[in-house]
Amino acid sequence: MAIVRYDPWRTLSQLQNEMNRLFEDQLGSEEGTESGMVATDWRPAVDVQEDADQYLITADIPGVDPKDIDVSLDNGVLTIRGERADRTEDEQASFKRVERVRGTFFRRFTLPDTADAENVKAKSENGVLRISIPKQKEGQPRKIEVQS
């Protein structure tokens, strides 16, 4: 029998993490709609990267057909949504354990002013969605003459 050291704060920490996750899922945190609520079954893991000439968003969405993914950009907000198809009744009967989530997913990101909304490109390959957002050339500041 292994000896396990009792840590009274561990249970409290686990409870806090679960509560944070619960509220984040229910309230949508950064990807909330106007009402603050999101109808989603799961949230894909996402990496956001900034290079000198572009922003790159990489999302893990294995088992999702590219035609079931919707990527849109409106008023500086990039939205990724889609659906992983449910199993058939026959498939569900044979499982002993199910951990992979099915259903709809939704992520939303506010892009900086330097993002070039006209040239965004998205590609899905081997269950990884890559969205490339080029940066615009920033305008040069100019002096505006004040007339009297």
Side-chain angles (χ1 to χ4, degrees):
M1 177 198 297
I3 298 176
V4 178
R5 184 175 193 152
Y6 175 69
D7 181 6
W9 301 111
R10 182 171 184 227
T11 305
L12 187 59
S13 177
Q14 288 175 332
L15 176 63
Q16 181 179 8
N17 289 338
E18 286 297 313
M19 292 297 289
N20 289 341
R21 188 183 59 77
L22 174 70
F23 283 112
E24 187 175 281
D25 289 347
Q26 292 299 315
L27 298 177
S29 67
E30 83 273 4
E31 52 270 333
T33 59
E34 292 175 14
S35 67
M37 297 300 286
V38 176
T40 183
D41 297 316
W42 62 288
R43 293 176 22 169
V46 174
D47 293 336
V48 179
Q49 184 178 357
E50 180 180 4
D51 294 335
D53 59 342
Q54 72 175 351
Y55 301 99
L56 183 64
I57 297 177
T58 307
D60 289 338
I61 48 173
V64 178
D65 194 323
K67 68 181 180 205
D68 294 331
I69 303 169
D70 177 38
V71 179
S72 61
L73 182 59
D74 185 31
N75 293 328
V77 178
L78 179 78
T79 303
I80 306 168
R81 70 177 79 221
E83 184 172 4
R84 185 182 290 156
D86 287 328
R87 296 174 195 88
T88 63
E89 291 292 325
D90 293 337
E91 288 178 335
Q92 289 180 358
S94 64
F95 281 102
K96 302 291 184 209
R97 183 179 183 132
V98 176
E99 292 184 354
R100 295 182 303 146
V101 180
R102 302 287 181 179
T104 60
F105 63 88
F106 179 87
R107 295 297 304 258
R108 183 175 278 176
F109 305 92
T110 303
L111 299 179
D113 293 336
T114 57
D116 183 2
E118 299 299 320
N119 295 309
V120 175
K121 294 184 176 140
K123 181 178 182 180
S124 179
E125 186 176 18
N126 296 327
V128 178
L129 175 66
R130 287 186 176 82
I131 302 171
S132 172
I133 307 152
K135 290 184 179 179
Q136 296 179 9
K137 300 254 190 274
E138 293 187 40
Q140 296 296 324
R142 63 182 185 133
K143 184 166 175 82
I144 299 172
E145 186 178 326
V146 178
Q147 297 178 354
S148 57

